[in-house]
């Protein structure tokens, strides 16, 4: 079955760019849409955006000016870049398979990776 | 953005009890609603999609209902492994938005 694994630095300095990668195993990245979601400590879930294998994207307007999602089909990976980070971007970041084409929800999630923004 | 409001924010219940969580959308979202369960330190897990469809592998004690703006997640007989936080999420229009969560605690 499809599994997802996030990877990337756990500590990012303020004003720098956060970069994370999600590796898809057990299935093809061309089979679905792929979303990123984050969760600040002790708080709820915030959808960041999705990327499709074709490269099409949709971003949360609250982050749109700072977010870039991309996909590498040759590696079965997709990535998140968030620029000009502040302490407010400290969160657990999750990648997920988004069955938005069939309205079937986000059915596979990575375990999450904690990113702290601090100097 | 569509705002999702859950109630209650927390509920205390005993094993075997029936638990109901409500989610209200600020606009009509038809049946484009999902429910997730999250345990501490873990990723959310999809329970229900399209308001009432049970995700494969999820116990039948979980059920969802509703359409338009008002939705309900019901746990018919609470089990020890069900103590967690539950989130609703609308999938009608971007950006996807979540409710603030309902924590189900042991009474």
């Amino acid at each position: 079955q499809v599994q997802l694994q996030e990877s990337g630095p756990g500590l990012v300095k303020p004003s720098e760019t956060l970069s994370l990668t999600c590796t898809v195993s057990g299935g093809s990245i061309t089979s679905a849409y792929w979303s990123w979601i984050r969760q600040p400590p002790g708080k709820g879930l915030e959808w960041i955006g999705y990327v499709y294998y074709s490269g099409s994207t949709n971003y949360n307007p609250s982050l749109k000016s700072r977010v870039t999602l991309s996909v590498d089909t040759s590696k079965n990976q997709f990535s998140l870049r968030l620029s000009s980070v502040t302490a407010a971007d400290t969160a657990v970041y999750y990648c997920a398979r988004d069955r938005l084409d069939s309205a079937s929800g986000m059915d596979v999630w990575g375990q999450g990776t904690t990113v702290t923004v601090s100097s | 953005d569509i705002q999702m409001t859950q109630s209650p924010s927390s509920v205390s219940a005993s094993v075997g009890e029936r638990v109901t969580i409500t989610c209200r959308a600020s606009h009509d979202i038809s049946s484009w609603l999902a429910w997730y369960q999250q345990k501490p330190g873990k990723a959310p897990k999809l329970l229900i999609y399209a308001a009432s469809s049970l995700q494969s592998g999820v116990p039948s004690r979980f059920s969802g209902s509703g359409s338009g703006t008002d939705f309900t997640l019901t746990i018919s007989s609470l089990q020890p492994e069900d103590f967690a936080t539950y989130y609703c999420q609308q999938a009608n229009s971007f950006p996807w938005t979540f409710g603030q969560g309902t924590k189900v605690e042991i009474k």
Side-chain angles (χ1 to χ4, degrees), chain B residues 73-106:
Chain B
L73 173 71
T74 299
I75 309 173
S76 60
S77 177
L78 198 65
Q79 299 302 300
E81 60 267 31
D82 301 336
F83 292 97
T85 300
Y86 293 84
Y87 293 93
C88 61
Q89 176 239 326
Q90 64 84 16
N92 179 73
S93 60
F94 293 109
W96 293 162
T97 47
F98 294 85
Q100 81 279 16
T102 295
K103 188 173 184 178
V104 177
E105 300 175 298
I106 301 173

Side-chain angles (χ1 to χ4, degrees), chain A residues 28-95:
Chain A
S28 172
I29 200 167
T30 62
S31 64
Y33 292 78
W34 306 94
S35 278
W36 288 94
I37 305 94
R38 70 179 183 177
Q39 185 171 37
K43 296 189 178 181
L45 300 163
E46 179 182 33
W47 179 77
I48 298 170
Y50 80 67
V51 62
Y52 193 47
Y53 79 95
S54 62
S56 68
T57 56
N58 192 303
Y59 299 140
N60 192 322
S62 68
L63 298 168
K64 188 173 184 176
S65 64
R66 299 193 291 129
V67 171
T68 303
L69 301 185
S70 60
V71 62
D72 186 338
T73 55
S74 67
K75 295 181 178 179
N76 235 27
Q77 295 177 334
F78 59 103
S79 298
L80 161 70
R81 287 173 57 86
L82 181 66
S83 64
S84 305
V85 298
T86 69
D89 295 309
T90 293
V92 177
Y93 286 76
Y94 297 100
C95 56

Side-chain angles (χ1 to χ4, degrees), chain B residues 4-104:
Chain B
M4 306 300 292
T5 304
Q6 290 181 231
S7 62
S9 295
S10 64
V11 57
S12 294
S14 300
V15 172
E17 276 192 55
R18 182 183 184 90
V19 172
T20 299
I21 300 169
T22 297
C23 179
R24 175 163 289 175
S26 61
H27 296 86
D28 187 335
I29 60 170
S30 185
S31 296
W32 306 131
L33 185 98
W35 288 98
Y36 300 87
Q37 175 194 67
Q38 186 179 34
K39 296 181 179 179
K42 299 296 187 181
K45 173 187 174 183
L46 177 66
L47 299 176
I48 301 283
Y49 62 91
S52 60
S53 296
L54 192 68
Q55 173 69 2
S56 177
V58 173
S60 59
R61 63 180 179 273
F62 291 94
S63 64
S65 64
S67 65
T69 60
D70 294 315
F71 301 86
T72 299
L73 173 71
T74 299
I75 309 173
S76 60
S77 177
L78 198 65
Q79 299 302 300
E81 60 267 31
D82 301 336
F83 292 97
T85 300
Y86 293 84
Y87 293 93
C88 61
Q89 176 239 326
Q90 64 84 16
N92 179 73
S93 60
F94 293 109
W96 293 162
T97 47
F98 294 85
Q100 81 279 16
T102 295
K103 188 173 184 178
V104 177

